Amino acid sequence: MERLPVQILIVVIGFIFIVATDAHAQLPFYTDDTDTTPKGKFHIEMFNEHDLLQSSAYPAKRQNTLVFTLDYGITDKLEFGINAPYLTFSNSRIVERRNPSGVGDTQFGLKYNFYAEHEGSRLPAMAVVFYFEAPTGNAKEQFGSGLNDYWLYGILQKSFTKKTKGRLNGGILFSGNDSTGLLGIESTRGQVYTGNGSLVHEFSGKLQLGAELFGAVTGNFKLQRGQLTTQIGGDYLLTKKLTLSFALLGGRFTASPRLGAHLGFAYDF
C-alpha cells in the first residue's frame, strides 16, 4: 500500500493539467478563509506535509500526511467539502513495523459565507463552517481516532490594504478529538477549543507570503496536552489554472510537530 499515494499523486496532477478559472487557495495555512467555491464549480486541493514528531511520540519519529480535498459550490455562498489523509509513520528500529501507512479519518463539511467584505466598511467578511469527521482510519494502527468528531468554527477575514489580508478562526470541537494520525489532541472525548490566525501579503500578481499561528486546547485547559504551531509560507501562481503552496512549520507541546515542511497544489475547475 505504500506505493498508492505516489500513483494517486501522478493521476491527480495529470488530471489537473488536463481539465480546464484561476486558482487561488488559502493553502498552505490551516486558517480557513471566507471564500467559497462558485455555484456548480469544483475546487481541488492536494498537499503533502512531512513532520518530525515530539519526543513524547517515541517510538514514532516522523509522520507524512498526504491530504486530498474536493470542494463543490452548492450556491455562490454555500460550499460542500470532503477531505481525507493518507498517513505514513516512520518508527524507531525497536518497532516491528517501521513504516506503516494507511488512510485516515474522512471529513465532510459545509461552509456558509453569510457576509462579504465591502469597500469602505470596517466590518470583515464572515463565514461559518461545520465539519463531521467519520472514523474511516484504523484506530489500532493510529491512522484514525476511532471517534465521530463534530466541529463548528467561525471565520473573520479583513483586508488591511489591497494586498494584505488577515484571517481569524475560532471554534469548538464538541465531541471526539482533532487528531490526524499522531498529531493533534488525542485521548479525549470532551470539548476541544481551537483558534488560529494568519496574515498574508501579495508581493506580486503571482506570489503571496504570510505567517500563521494555530492553537488547540482541551476543555480542561491542560496545556501539555494542547497544540501550538506556527507556520511561515505562501503560494505561487504557476499558471492561470494551478497554484503551488509551500511552508515551513514548527510547534510546541505533545500535539504539535517539532518541525515540518509543506508542499501542495490547488486548482479550480
Side-chain angles (χ1 to χ4, degrees):
M1 291 185 66
E2 293 183 13
R3 298 173 64 183
L4 178 61
V6 177
Q7 295 169 353
I8 294 175
L9 185 66
I10 293 172
V11 171
V12 173
I13 291 176
F15 176 74
I16 285 173
F17 278 104
I18 292 172
V19 297
T21 27
D22 292 356
H24 195 76
Q26 175 60 4
L27 285 177
F29 303 113
Y30 296 120
T31 305
D32 204 353
D33 56 25
T34 59
D35 302 338
T36 53
T37 305
K39 181 180 179 180
K41 301 293 185 179
F42 289 93
H43 174 79
I44 288 177
E45 291 180 359
M46 175 181 61
F47 72 85
N48 191 83
E49 182 177 309
H50 192 81
D51 297 301
L52 301 179
L53 302 175
Q54 301 286 350
S55 58
S56 55
Y58 188 83
K61 300 169 69 176
R62 298 188 302 276
Q63 175 175 312
N64 194 84
T65 308
L66 180 62
V67 178
F68 300 93
T69 299
L70 178 65
D71 298 319
Y72 176 75
I74 300 174
T75 71
D76 285 334
K77 291 183 174 291
L78 181 63
E79 174 187 276
F80 170 78
I82 180 172
N83 72 76
Y86 190 89
L87 303 164
T88 302
F89 304 141
S90 296
N91 295 320
S92 168
R93 294 183 179 182
I94 67 172
V95 178
E96 183 178 351
R97 295 193 66 194
R98 292 287 306 281
N99 301 108
S101 60
V103 176
D105 292 340
T106 303
Q107 282 190 342
F108 304 88
L110 289 172
K111 180 197 288 189
Y112 179 57
N113 182 345
F114 61 88
Y115 186 83
E117 186 177 6
H118 301 284
E119 188 173 354
S121 173
R122 295 183 179 182
L123 291 176
M126 290 175 268
V128 62
V129 180
F130 175 77
Y131 267 110
F132 164 71
E133 187 173 81
T136 54
N138 188 326
K140 292 182 179 180
E141 296 278 1
Q142 296 184 288
F143 298 132
S145 67
L147 305 171
N148 291 315
D149 304 330
Y150 303 91
W151 186 23
L152 179 69
Y153 64 90
I155 308 169
L156 300 178
Q157 177 175 295
K158 181 65 177 174
S159 298
F160 298 113
T161 69
K162 290 184 178 181
K163 295 188 176 183
T164 304
K165 286 186 178 180
R167 299 178 175 98
L168 289 174
N169 294 178
I172 301 175
L173 199 151
F174 293 100
S175 64
N177 63 56
D178 76 338
S179 64
T180 300
L182 299 174
L183 295 173
I185 295 176
E186 303 177 10
S187 303
T188 177
R189 293 177 180 267
Q191 294 178 343
V192 175
Y193 302 100
T194 63
N196 43 310
S198 68
L199 186 65
V200 179
H201 181 75
E202 181 182 328
F203 286 86
S204 69
K206 293 186 175 183
L207 177 65
Q208 289 192 127
L209 296 174
E212 171 189 61
L213 187 65
F214 172 83
V217 67
T218 61
N220 55 12
F221 295 98
K222 291 185 177 180
L223 294 181
Q224 291 304 317
R225 288 179 56 193
Q227 186 174 7
L228 184 63
T229 304
T230 185
Q231 186 169 201
I232 298 174
D235 60 62
Y236 185 81
L237 195 64
L238 295 173
T239 71
K240 290 183 178 181
K241 302 176 182 180
L242 183 64
T243 299
L244 169 72
S245 61
F246 50 89
L248 295 175
L249 59 149
R252 288 193 62 194
F253 307 123
T254 301
S256 298
R258 192 156 43 98
L259 291 171
H262 162 112
L263 183 65
F265 298 91
Y267 186 81
D268 291 318
F269 66 96

